[in-house]
Every structure is written in C-alpha cells, then in structure tokens.
Amino acid sequence: MRKDPTASDSMSDELAAENDLPESDTPAAEHTAVVADELTTESLDLGEREDIIERPSSQPTSRPLAEDLPVTIIRPTSGWRALDLREVWRYRELMLTLAWREITIRYKQTFLGAAWAIIQPLMTTGIFSVLFGLLLGKGNEPSAGDVPYAVSTFCAMLPWQLFATSLNQSGNILIQYRSMITKIYFPRLILPMAAVLSSLVDFGIAFVALLAMMAFYGIFPGWAVLTLPFFVILAIMASLSVGLWLAALNAIYRDFRYVIPFIIQVGMFVSPVVYSMESIQGRLSPWAWTLYSLNPMAGVIEGFRWALLGTSHGPGPMLVLSTVATAIILVGGMFYFRRMERLFADVI
C-alpha cells in the first residue's frame, strides 16, 4: 500500500510540536499536579500538625506547580504529650467564634430567647421553696443564715447552672462537630473551652436577675463581693475540669451520653444548691464532711453565698478542699483529653 508522504510529514510535525511544549503545559504534567494536590489534601486530614516543608520554586511560571506549594505533613501522635497551651492561644479566635455559634444555636427559633437563662433557675427555686415550705413549714427552710430561702437558693443556682450547662454542652460538643474534626486540623481542646465560654452568657443574664432580687429583699453585698471574680474563675475551672473528662469519654464510649444528665441531676443534690451547708454540717461525721467538701462545686457555691449575701459562715476549709480537687481533676482531664485526641477522628 502506498503511503501519503504529506500526512506522514504532518504527523511528524505535530509530534515534534508536542515534544517542544514546556513540561508544565502537557496533560501528563497537569495530571501529576492534580494527583499531587489530592495527596497534599489527604495528608492534611491525618491527625496532628507536625511540620511544614517549604520547597523553593525552580523557575517562575504563570501557574504554581505542586512542588512549589508548602506541604504540611500531619501524623497521629503516640503516648502522652504536652498540653501546648500556646497553640490553644493561637486558635483563640476560632474558639470565640465557636462559642458565639453555640449561643446563637441555643436560642435560635425560641420565642423567649435569652430569658430562659432566668426562667429555668427561677422556676427551680420556686418549686423547692414551695416543697420545703410544705415539708418543714414556712420560715424553716434550709436557708443560709437569715437570708430568705428564695434568695439563698437562687444565688446558689447561678454557679450550678453554669456548671450544669457547661457539662451538657462540652460533653456532646465533639460529636456535634464531628465533620469539622475529621476534615481539618485545630486543637480539639478549644471545643470544650468554647462550650464553657458560651455558658457564661447565661450566667451574666441570671446574675442581673439575682441583683434585682437582692435589691427587692433589701440585701446588699459587703466588701466580700470583691472576691466574687475568684469564685467565678473557680466555677469555670470546675466546669471545664469535669467537661474535659466527659467530652473525651463520650467521644469514645457513647454510653456517657446517658450518664451526663444523670450526673447533673445527682450532682445538684450532693451540692449545697437547694440547701445551705450550715443546715447539714452538724449532721455529717468528719469523714463525711471531708468527702462532701471534695465536691468541686461545694466550695464554689458556698463562696458565692458568702461573697454576695454576707452569710456568717465563709467557705473556709471546704473551699481549700474543693480548690485542690478541682485542680487535680482539671490537670488530669487536660492530659487525658490530649491523650485521647489522636483517636477522635477515627472513632467519632
């Protein structure tokens, strides 16, 4: 068969023209760049950020090659590791954004909105006022000193609501942000911290209502109110300490989803919320009182009453025991959370 010399020359010219093209403009180079981009994206989802390798560009091109982009290699950690609180501080803007998102979600499509921050503790106070009034008689309620029972209980409700809301939010927040955890890297520690910060808004609203109630009953705080910021910080630490443990455990063992409400219900009755500490102190043996004082919220609640209502009995040794217990639980919770952090993306 005779070959067409014109067609053969044209094909040779096209092959020569393809061979003369720059490497970055060929389809194979583009395919290599796409695969490299995909591998780079997958490597970002593996776990902890470890190091960043910047590759210098060999020659200026109109479109950056995959070799020119910085590559972040993320590997899961093993063993116990440092808390690295400086990294948490670098992500503080994300933490504040997540806290604000929690607040907006909490009251989205609600008719009363943030008023629920007052209604819930106020209704609980009213129910127990009626209950103890019927059981013990009017004026014999387990109040703190000469303070009316409603004021004494509502004052204790503020730190307790902060603790309970923080526990409920932080215990489920890892599951709530499941898709975010499995796709991008950020210190997971900021999630329970954001949950606790969002609970402070409810605390602030309820605190204004407490001041109004105190003014109605003619109760005005003394110099001890200057110590109130210390008790607020201690309440935040207590909330975060237990919240870290529950967040990590609930991410791995979903049984804790049902344990958290039970802990909150039982915790309110083993803390001096609906009764004062002085009303039961004489009935407790020394070892029972010591065990009771190890409750992280016991010293906080009694401290709130002492700082705002001026009760004669300050927290004293109970506050010391509660602070020590809170510090131990907080440090242990932070290390345990960091230890389990490498498993969250796989098991959540």
Side-chain angles (χ1 to χ4, degrees), residues 26-242:
T26 60
E30 292 180 358
H31 176 71
T32 305
V34 171
V35 172
D37 290 341
E38 293 176 354
L39 290 175
T40 305
T41 304
E42 291 177 359
S43 67
L44 291 172
D45 299 333
L46 290 178
E48 304 295 333
R49 184 171 69 86
E50 189 163 280
D51 50 16
I52 298 176
I53 302 173
E54 295 188 359
R55 299 175 179 172
S57 58
S58 58
Q59 57 182 2
T61 57
S62 58
R63 178 184 177 186
L65 300 175
E67 291 78 4
D68 299 329
L69 298 175
V71 178
T72 303
I73 301 175
I74 303 175
R75 299 188 182 94
T77 60
S78 60
W80 297 91
R81 58 175 302 187
L83 294 177
D84 197 5
L85 296 180
R86 287 186 299 178
E87 184 185 39
V88 175
W89 175 251
R90 287 199 299 271
Y91 283 83
R92 62 187 181 279
E93 293 184 359
L94 177 60
M95 181 171 59
L96 295 176
T97 302
L98 294 175
W100 178 250
R101 184 176 183 274
E102 287 297 311
I103 296 169
T104 54
I105 291 176
R106 189 182 307 160
Y107 297 116
K108 188 177 182 181
Q109 295 182 340
T110 57
F111 181 72
L112 297 178
W116 284 109
I118 303 174
I119 294 173
Q120 288 181 337
L122 199 60
M123 290 183 67
T124 306
T125 301
I127 290 171
F128 279 101
S129 297
V130 174
L131 180 63
F132 282 116
L134 293 175
L135 293 176
L136 303 176
K138 191 67 175 177
N140 296 322
E141 298 93 342
S143 179
D146 298 330
V147 178
Y149 178 78
V151 182
S152 173
T153 303
F154 192 74
C155 180
M157 278 288 171
L158 264 66
W160 177 254
Q161 284 292 329
L162 172 64
F163 180 78
T165 307
S166 300
L167 243 61
N168 193 34
Q169 295 286 331
S170 58
N172 296 292
I173 198 166
L174 292 179
I175 300 173
Q176 182 182 346
Y177 287 91
R178 178 192 298 115
S179 58
M180 188 173 170
I181 290 173
T182 55
K183 286 184 173 61
I184 62 174
Y185 173 77
F186 61 93
R188 310 326 190 200
L189 203 58
I190 68 172
L191 286 175
M193 289 182 175
V196 176
L197 285 178
S198 66
S199 304
L200 284 175
V201 176
D202 292 355
F203 174 82
I205 296 172
F207 185 74
V208 175
L210 174 63
L211 293 179
M213 181 182 287
M214 291 170 58
F216 178 79
Y217 281 95
I219 301 173
F220 299 98
W223 63 269
V225 73
L226 298 176
T227 62
L228 188 63
F230 167 74
F231 294 112
V232 174
I233 294 174
L234 195 59
I236 294 172
M237 291 174 59
S239 305
L240 185 61
S241 61
V242 184

